[in-house]
Amino acid sequence: MTVNLLDYDREGLIDFLVEMGEKPFRAKQILKWIHQSNQSDFNQMSDLAKNLRTKLSESSVIAMPQVTRDHTAADGTRKWLLSVGSGNGIESVFIPEANRGTLCVSSQVGCALACAFCATGKQGFNRNLSVAEIVGQLWLANKMLVEDFDRQPLAKMQADIADPQIMYSVRRVTNIVMMGMGEPLANFENVVTALNVMLDDHAYGLSRRRVTVSTSGLIPAMDRLRKRCPVALAVSLHAPNDPLRDYLVPINQKYPIKDLLAACQRYLQDAPRDFITFEYVMLDGINDSASHARELIKLVRDVPCKFNLIPFNAFPNSEFRRSSSESIRVFRDMLMQAGLMTTVRKTRGDDIAAACGQLAGRVYDKTRRTAKENIEAI
Ligand code: SAH
Ligand code: SF4
């Protein structure tokens, strides 16, 4: 059977090599070729013996999803639509900033959790992404960024971007947020293996602070993540009380706020950062009043946290509206005055609908389950 080497972290690759009678240290060399040199052709891996290269090409491939669209918005945000077979599509988005380049990565085709305001949730669930499909998003982004960078005449590049920090971030992915399509912790094993590759010094070598998993609050999986691979954690809170959160984030019916906050506190014992990021989508007239802000401040009193307010991104047939900039400002100021560090997410790449958390590839729902049935199934 042919295996895809993009499916392996270092441990998996060592097992695979040892089974074919090779030395474990070859794994480091191969990881470097694949992930640091973006090499997918075994014949180019010049420090591997010829017979190993032959064995590898007979037994394995290095295969990533196929890019079907590649579009850059006016503000530099770049979105790729990737085909993952059976007519399904996923998206990943690159957001260049002054001192970093963030890639927003998808973890599932669709999502079963059916949050009321989410385009992905509305489409239903098809399947989990494989490790290769998750890591492949990063592999492809780096490859295309480097190629584009190399193609541009240096003089032009230097004129456009004087700051070497920006040059670096435009050239490569420096940060990952698992905030694309899907609930990462509902695809636990594949996501953890993909995180291992992102963190491995012989692959992408990103620090645990630069890799963020965003979850709607799957408590048992949060506890497992903190043991297996504690990276930075963002939690989609979106409401200051259970009745409202039950409606906006239906998984709350299974894992209510009090238990969720306790899990956040446990997570911080092993986390690479000393705070949890709470995401809070700003929905006009739903969760954005001064009394919601007051309730929220009381609620999170005991959790070291930062807030990221996300102006709602509308999509066809969505029943919500984005809060006005004035209510977002008032809400933010109230949190700040209470001592909570708060940022408002810039709505980037609006002209290509690339805003993180609003990624709408093509999903053919396989489950035909209701939201309630999905929650029971998780
Ligand atoms: N499933 C995970 C990660 C993917 S969504 C989670 O829910 O956390 C990433 C973020 O985008 C989440 O906070 C999600 O609630 C938010 N989001 C989803 N749809 C959105 C929309 N239409 N506008 C703004 N934010 C949205
Ligand atoms: Fe799934 Fe996250 Fe969308 Fe909720 S917000 S439906 S958990 S992708």
Side-chain angles (χ1 to χ4, degrees):
M1 201 186 72
T2 311
V3 301
N4 186 353
L5 297 192
L6 271 197
D7 272 320
Y8 291 141
D9 59 7
R10 177 142 40 122
E11 224 176 275
L13 194 53
I14 289 175
D15 289 348
F16 172 73
L17 289 164
V18 167
E19 208 159 286
M20 60 161 68
E22 292 292 333
K23 292 272 183 313
F25 77 89
R26 296 283 178 211
K28 291 183 190 169
Q29 287 174 298
I30 296 171
L31 282 176
K32 276 192 176 167
W33 277 115
I34 299 175
H35 301 288
Q36 294 182 3
S37 308
N38 270 122
Q39 190 51 262
S40 54
D41 178 356
F42 295 115
N43 286 320
Q44 302 297 320
M45 301 186 178
S46 50
D47 58 359
L48 302 183
K50 191 103 200 293
N51 77 330
L52 173 56
R53 287 187 246 163
T54 313
K55 273 206 274 187
L56 286 172
S57 30
E58 281 165 358
S59 59
S60 53
V61 291
I62 299 164
M64 29 277 157
Q66 204 196 337
V67 180
T68 47
R69 266 192 68 194
D70 175 355
H71 191 82
T72 306
D75 64 5
T77 305
R78 186 164 174 184
K79 179 171 86 163
W80 293 282
L81 183 64
L82 309 174
S83 150
V84 288
S86 311
N88 287 303
I90 54 158
E91 295 177 4
S92 39
V93 178
F94 179 69
I95 305 152
E97 283 173 289
N99 52 1
R100 62 181 163 201
T102 305
L103 187 71
C104 179
V105 170
S106 295
S107 56
Q108 298 184 307
V109 185
C111 181
L113 297 182
C115 297
F117 51 84
C118 175
T120 305
K122 291 267 178 220
Q123 297 191 72
F125 177 70
N126 186 286
R127 67 173 174 85
N128 283 330
L129 291 182
S130 67
V131 178
E133 288 164 337
I134 299 171
V135 173
Q137 296 170 59
L138 175 54
W139 191 95
L140 284 165
N142 270 345
K143 185 170 170 70
M144 286 186 276
L145 290 168
V146 170
E147 276 173 5
D148 277 15
F149 187 89
D150 289 346
R151 209 175 296 138
Q152 306 218 26
L154 191 60
K156 179 179 177 305
M157 214 60 192
Q158 277 166 341
D160 285 354
I161 316 167
D163 182 346
Q165 286 285 357
I166 302 186
M167 299 258 283
Y168 181 75
S169 84
V170 172
R171 214 192 140 101
R172 289 208 159 266
V173 174
T174 63
N175 291 59
I176 300 273
V177 290
M178 302 280 316
M179 293 184 186
M181 260 191 173
E183 165 54 51
L185 296 187
N187 181 12
F188 190 83
E189 286 305 326
N190 289 351
V191 165
V192 166
T193 306
L195 293 174
N196 288 342
V197 179
M198 294 169 192
L199 302 184
D200 194 319
D201 280 343
H202 299 282
Y204 296 92
L206 299 174
S207 81
R208 293 191 293 139
R209 313 164 61 90
R210 285 179 176 270
V211 178
T212 302
V213 165
S214 173
T215 180
S216 55
L218 302 186
I219 295 176
M222 286 164 65
D223 283 320
R224 277 190 282 149
L225 186 69
R226 96 186 153 89
K227 292 290 170 219
R228 290 276 299 280
C229 191
V231 290
L233 188 69
V235 172
S236 296
L237 195 54
H238 304 320
N241 58 58
D242 281 323
L244 184 54
R245 195 165 190 270
D246 283 349
Y247 161 59
L248 293 175
V249 185
I251 193 69
N252 193 69
Q253 296 158 29
K254 188 163 182 181
Y255 301 122
I257 293 180
K258 187 166 156 287
D259 300 346
L260 178 59
L261 296 182
C264 289
Q265 281 173 321
R266 288 196 295 279
Y267 195 86
L268 288 176
Q269 295 162 12
D270 300 282
R273 289 180 180 274
D274 46 18
F275 59 88
I276 298 285
T277 302
F278 286 125
E279 294 161 281
Y280 196 98
V281 63
M282 298 298 293
L283 302 166
D284 185 34
I286 304 283
N287 65 354
D288 63 346
S289 72
S291 73
H292 289 123
R294 280 192 290 275
E295 212 181 342
L296 197 57
I297 291 163
K298 262 205 222 134
L299 185 74
V300 300
R301 225 174 11 208
D302 299 328
V303 185
C305 62
K306 289 187 179 177
F307 269 85
N308 189 212
L309 305 180
I310 316 176
F312 171 65
N313 286 301
F315 52 90
N317 302 322
S318 59
E319 61 258 47
F320 300 104
R321 277 181 323 231
R322 178 182 293 183
S323 305
S324 68
S325 351
E326 178 57 13
S327 2
I328 297 178
R329 195 187 56 72
V330 170
F331 202 92
R332 184 203 55 197
D333 289 351
M334 286 182 72
L335 298 189
M336 295 280 270
Q337 271 154 23
L340 296 166
M341 173 68 196
T342 306
T343 50
V344 177
R345 182 167 310 159
K346 269 189 277 169
T347 45
R348 297 195 48 145
D350 270 1
D351 53 335
I352 52 167
C356 251
Q358 218 285 84
L359 304 184
R362 282 159 290 129
V363 177
Y364 296 102
D365 185 357
K366 257 196 342 199
T367 66
R368 292 170 197 275
R369 291 186 300 225
T370 62
K372 191 163 176 295
E373 286 163 346
N374 274 332
I375 285 157
E376 278 155 13
I378 279 179

